Amino acid sequence: MSAVEISPSLMCMNLDKFKEEITFLNEHVSSYHIDIMDGHFVPNITLSPWFMGEVRKLSRLPLSAHLMVTDQTFWVEQMIDLKCEWICMHAEVLSGLAFRLIDQIHDAGLKAGVVLNPETDVTDIFPYIDLLDKVTIMTVDPGFAGQRFLEPMLDKIVQLRKLRAQADYHYLIEMDGSSSRKTFKRIDQAGPDIYIVGRSGLFSLTDNIADSWAIMRKDYEEMTGKKLE
């Protein structure tokens, strides 16, 4: 596996330092993770297409939309209009829609991902797993920052790695939830390609994004024994 990617969860950033933090992170990360919540699929409401447009003004990095929404069709169309590079839908609400929406995303020249809640088994996505560009494993209950890390979910990452190798699938494997010094070693042993970092792993470490990034990088390297590119 190549070096891991770090994708900051922007719902956890300090919005009063929006320009400062995006400008800094542009030089250190390869994408941004943007949570879209509708207050129905999860009880919270967070970021929006408007927010994504504001990020676009300051960055050319790919955006990855995590659609924690009930009406996947409506929000996929919104993301396609924004040319969001990665559109990640929840498996739990894709019955009868998966093939159609994945094809719609690919036809727009964008990448399609699926997200699995902790209670959702990897086998649920077997009918269309060969079409996916990314699979995201939730290692927390979705909807709010700061949830308890659910270590057994790492087994899904191991399972996805084995499936990818056996069947020559092309999806990336992403983990989302409580990625921090306390969990870096266990996550690394499971082997995802992309770490979502949020409040505990990055944005709450200090009041300065450069200092927080330095601490996060040091934490990752000390706990895994690997260099963060």
Side-chain angles (χ1 to χ4, degrees), residues 186-197:
R186 286 171 283 172
I187 296 168
D188 175 71
Q189 290 168 345
D193 304 303
I194 305 169
Y195 288 57
I196 305 302
V197 293

Side-chain angles (χ1 to χ4, degrees), residues 13 17 19 24 30 44 56 63-64 72 77 102 110 123 162 170 172 183-184 196-197 210 224 229:
M13 72 184 302
K17 298 181 179 180
K19 183 174 182 179
F24 175 85
S30 54
N44 203 2
R56 290 280 198 208
L63 304 182
S64 181
Q72 296 284 317
E77 291 171 355
I102 292 169
L110 306 170
T123 58
K162 290 178 179 178
H170 68 276
L172 295 175
T183 59
F184 279 144
I196 305 302
V197 293
T224 67
E229 298 297 331

Side-chain angles (χ1 to χ4, degrees), residues 14-140:
N14 300 302
L15 292 178
D16 59 336
K17 298 181 179 180
F18 177 80
K19 183 174 182 179
E20 173 188 337
E21 295 194 350
I22 293 294
T23 300
F24 175 85
L25 290 169
N26 282 341
E27 304 301 320
H28 296 276
V29 303
S30 54
S31 67
Y32 290 118
H33 182 86
I34 298 181
D35 290 304
I36 305 291
M37 306 182 194
D38 64 356
H40 297 282
F41 184 77
V42 291
N44 203 2
I45 296 175
T46 52
L47 306 179
S48 66
W50 174 86
F51 178 87
M52 297 175 78
E54 294 302 298
V55 176
R56 290 280 198 208
K57 293 177 182 178
L58 297 175
S59 179
R60 295 186 178 180
L61 294 181
L63 304 182
S64 181
H66 176 185
L67 301 182
M68 285 179 265
V69 299
T70 300
D71 188 348
Q72 296 284 317
T73 300
F74 171 81
W75 287 100
V76 164
E77 291 171 355
Q78 294 283 307
M79 296 302 105
I80 288 174
D81 288 344
L82 285 167
K83 295 181 172 57
C84 181
E85 288 83 357
W86 294 88
I87 303 174
C88 301
M89 306 166 287
H90 262 273
E92 298 79 16
V93 286
L94 276 184
S95 179
L97 298 171
F99 290 97
R100 185 187 325 154
L101 291 180
I102 292 169
D103 286 348
Q104 188 176 351
I105 292 167
H106 286 159
D107 288 347
L110 306 170
K111 294 182 179 180
V114 162
V115 187
L116 302 183
N117 273 346
E119 300 87 354
T120 305
D121 196 272
V122 171
T123 58
D124 287 8
I125 64 172
F126 276 6
Y128 50 86
I129 193 171
D130 59 314
L131 302 175
L132 297 175
D133 302 299
K134 181 162 66 174
V135 180
T136 302
I137 298 301
M138 296 297 297
T139 52
V140 298

Side-chain angles (χ1 to χ4, degrees), residues 203-220:
F203 290 108
S204 70
L205 297 179
T206 73
D207 292 332
N208 178 276
I209 189 60
D211 293 341
S212 294
W213 180 266
I215 292 170
M216 186 275 295
R217 181 171 185 165
K218 181 173 180 287
D219 287 345
Y220 173 84

